[in-house]
Amino acid sequence: MLNTHPIVYDVLGLSEPQIPASVPTETRGTRTFTPLSPQAIGEIDPDVILIVDRSAAIGNEEANVEALRQSLANGAAADADIEVMTPKLWYLSGGGLQSLSLQIDEVRNAL
């Protein structure tokens, strides 16, 4: 699911991906989400995929990153570098200066 994060786009100034018109968004409460299939990721053809695993952050089963790699292996995004961010840092931190600094470092290191 695509979730735009202010640190990545506003603080670091990275460009938001262009989502194909065929990919619908979903609204849950006041939040809007964009579920991305491997096919949609292939259409976007990113150089780097940053994953923040909410399930892992809240103690549930971790996302299967290897399955994502395999599903992208033969498509346009086959060469994308897949980086898993520290889930608790991104979902459970208080948004203070220390966590902001750690998040910036994590993105910088991933790129």
Side-chain angles (χ1 to χ4, degrees):
M1 187 148 326
L2 175 70
N3 187 1
T4 57
H5 202 289
I7 291 169
V8 175
Y9 302 112
D10 296 340
V11 175
L12 296 174
L14 300 177
S15 308
E16 289 191 42
Q18 295 300 310
I19 306 301
S22 61
V23 177
T25 59
E26 297 176 8
T27 300
R28 298 179 196 159
T30 59
R31 297 186 67 189
T32 300
F33 299 90
T34 307
L36 294 176
S37 67
Q39 294 78 19
I41 294 170
E43 285 183 57
I44 297 168
D45 195 18
D47 294 327
V48 178
I49 299 171
L50 303 176
I51 296 177
V52 179
D53 187 352
R54 180 183 181 276
S55 294
I58 61 172
N60 292 335
E61 186 176 344
E62 294 180 12
N64 187 340
V65 176
E66 189 54 38
L68 174 62
R69 260 191 196 92
Q70 290 176 2
S71 66
L72 296 174
N74 296 320
D79 294 330
D81 185 19
I82 299 174
E83 298 289 335
V84 180
M85 305 288 99
T86 305
K88 289 183 179 183
L89 174 62
W90 289 85
Y91 271 101
L92 303 178
S93 68
L97 291 176
Q98 186 175 25
S99 59
L100 175 63
S101 177
L102 291 170
Q103 289 171 320
I104 289 170
D105 288 344
E106 201 166 55
V107 172
R108 188 189 68 217
N109 291 335
L111 299 175

